[in-house]
Amino acid sequence: MKPKLTIALLASKQIHAVHKCLDSLVPILMQIPSELIVVDTSEDDNVRELALQYTPHVISFHWCNDFSKARNAGLQKAQGEWFLFIDDDEWFEDPSEIIEFFSSGEYLQYNSGRYIVRNYMDWMGTNYIDARLNRMARITLETQFKNPIHEYLWPFAEPIKMFSSYVHHYGYAGKVQETKTDRNIPLLKKELKEHKPTVHNYTQLTQEYMSTHEFKKAEKYARKCLELEVTHPDLEVSWCVAYLPYIICSQEEYQRAWETGKEMLRHPQCTEIAALRIYLDLIRICNHLNNHEKDIIIYAKAYHQYVDQMDARPEQWPRQAIGALGEHHIKKSKDFIYFLGLKAAVQIEDSKSAQFFLSYLPWGSVAIEKFYPYFSNILREKKKEHFLLNLFENMDKDNENLDPLILIFKSRSAYQQGNFQKSENYLHWAVESRQIYILMEAALLIFQSEGKLSLEPLLFQMDISQLGSISKYLTENAEADQLSPWITMVKFSLADFPVQSLFLLTSFQEKLLIEGILEIEDSELLTQIRQYCQWVKEYTVSVYSEQIFASKNSSFMPPDYRFATQMEQIFQDWENSNYPQVLKGLREVINIYKPLCGVIRRLLSMISDEINQPEPTNPEFLTLASQVKQTVQYLLQENRCEEALPLVEQLSTLLPKDLEVVRLRQELWSRMGE
């Protein structure tokens, strides 16, 4: 009897990341018949010992700069009906959809599957790109990985299951991407030299050179890809079609980029998603060219029409997606496209088009705030001011519920007309909305006008803003492993300058938390956050007057202080095992201080684990469980798998996170698959 699924993990020396990845796989391993194979490239005994706690299937692999060989080493040992592969710096947020896919029998209806890899562009976890990738497939005699770099699983046959389950991936944050690119380009060129050129290799080289901003080289390989004879629809070719105008635009050759964009729209491999990407770039390209306002309006309306067409057939979004080029990527620029269409319509005073784009902007939401400065720039052109103000004057008359920007423009229009009372009313309603944009500006003013601080050896010559710039510079240029010694140094060397010391300590500790998301053990994370909150509070108390703290209005306090004070209550609830309040508090505090939202996600995961982890403290229960484990081990040694199966299933239910049980399941399915 075969396991339904084989999971293969490629493990490197990142032991903390490997640990987190393995833990995220436990629910799958415990709830469906599955085996875990760890291909260990680390040559590190600690990594191997960790992997052996989860599975006996650990394969040592000497790294040879060939990802396919490493992946195939695990695939060749696979006994499952399906195969899923994952990297050691990834971990599942919630694999329940995948578990249901196999436990319900739905997997029998499909041949392949794509789950989402959430690629974070920074260590804060706020800037990311979702890519739905080919990561699961039914195992056949032909199944194998191809290509030494940017390897892919082949064949990948339809029908394909589109999963919304995703893994977190920080492999593109910070300097990690630069290291990968330095490794990947020589390997790809070697592959091209030794074998027949393929669409895949040309596409991957194009992407690598785009990531290093070497756009002439990127264009070279994109065009080579398009020169290959491809007689069937190929998403990688469509990707090159989609991005060629962007690559040329990035060389600041806007006229050539415009002509290329129009040409690519006629290319036989131009899918609807590719066309949408081209329209995005054509709009931006025309924004750099003179007298192209009419073209911008045409392209923006075409973009709008194509999005509507795709939304009418939502299954086409994942079918046409390739990597990050998918629905999220296309739609994330929608508001900006409508704004550029509006800007072009204002320039040529096209009232009908201007009203069209104005109606689709996200009024009344936080998303509109980023356009406030752009509207201010338009108003600087006095000859367009009257036209724009008339547009806003004709909008919804429900004044109290309008977006603050519209209210301010209405106030300005009323003021110019001499209706001062009406102007005051609009302004009053705008201020009452308390939009974060205004509060942020007020907070910045408060920080700039508070007392002055200095930094050794010029501590008495620098104000607080300069100290902040220095702190930012230091943290941006420090590796995560430097921060702990820096913290120690600051605590001792700046002991006579407590305020300045606390400012630096909070900056360093904040980065240590953000970039240590893969390194800090769960047991240490709470201690680190407590320390951070303590320093934040001490610093804030030291620079603000008592009158500010006595005020009931806490809105003027900095967000990191509000974060720290709320975390104190969360820590107290945690210690009292008041888990519902802890969850509620964490979900609220995640929106107070955005830089630490990735850290709060870690805490949410930890508290969820505590809630879901049974606590078998009864000694009789533990003794009985130990006896059952011994019985299972004996039955496995005697190859009496059918008798061991119900005992293992029972243990899995009672001890869902017990690593001994995880490993027993692995041994069981290994023997049953023989």
Side-chain angles (χ1 to χ4, degrees), residues 7-11 18 22 36-40 51 55 57-60:
I7 303 174
L9 165 64
L10 197 59
V18 173
L22 287 167
L36 171 64
I37 297 174
V38 177
V39 180
D40 178 18
T55 179
H57 310 303
V58 180
I59 302 170
S60 295

Side-chain angles (χ1 to χ4, degrees), residues 510-574:
E510 182 174 298
K511 178 167 180 173
L512 189 65
L513 285 168
I514 292 170
E515 295 200 8
I517 193 167
L518 297 179
E519 298 297 326
I520 301 175
E521 293 282 4
D522 286 351
S523 58
E524 178 66 16
L525 186 61
L526 281 176
T527 301
Q528 295 284 359
I529 297 176
R530 280 181 183 273
Q531 181 65 83
Y532 171 78
C533 292
Q534 178 186 334
W535 285 335
V536 167
K537 289 198 67 179
E538 289 178 5
Y539 169 76
T540 309
V541 169
S542 69
V543 297
Y544 280 77
S545 67
E546 293 181 0
Q547 289 84 351
I548 292 291
F549 291 99
S551 171
K552 293 182 179 180
N553 182 6
S554 64
S555 300
F556 290 102
M557 299 307 297
D560 55 352
Y561 176 80
R562 284 183 280 140
F563 170 89
T565 54
Q566 287 200 217
M567 284 302 299
E568 279 190 339
Q569 181 60 49
I570 292 171
F571 291 140
Q572 184 176 338
D573 288 332
W574 201 317

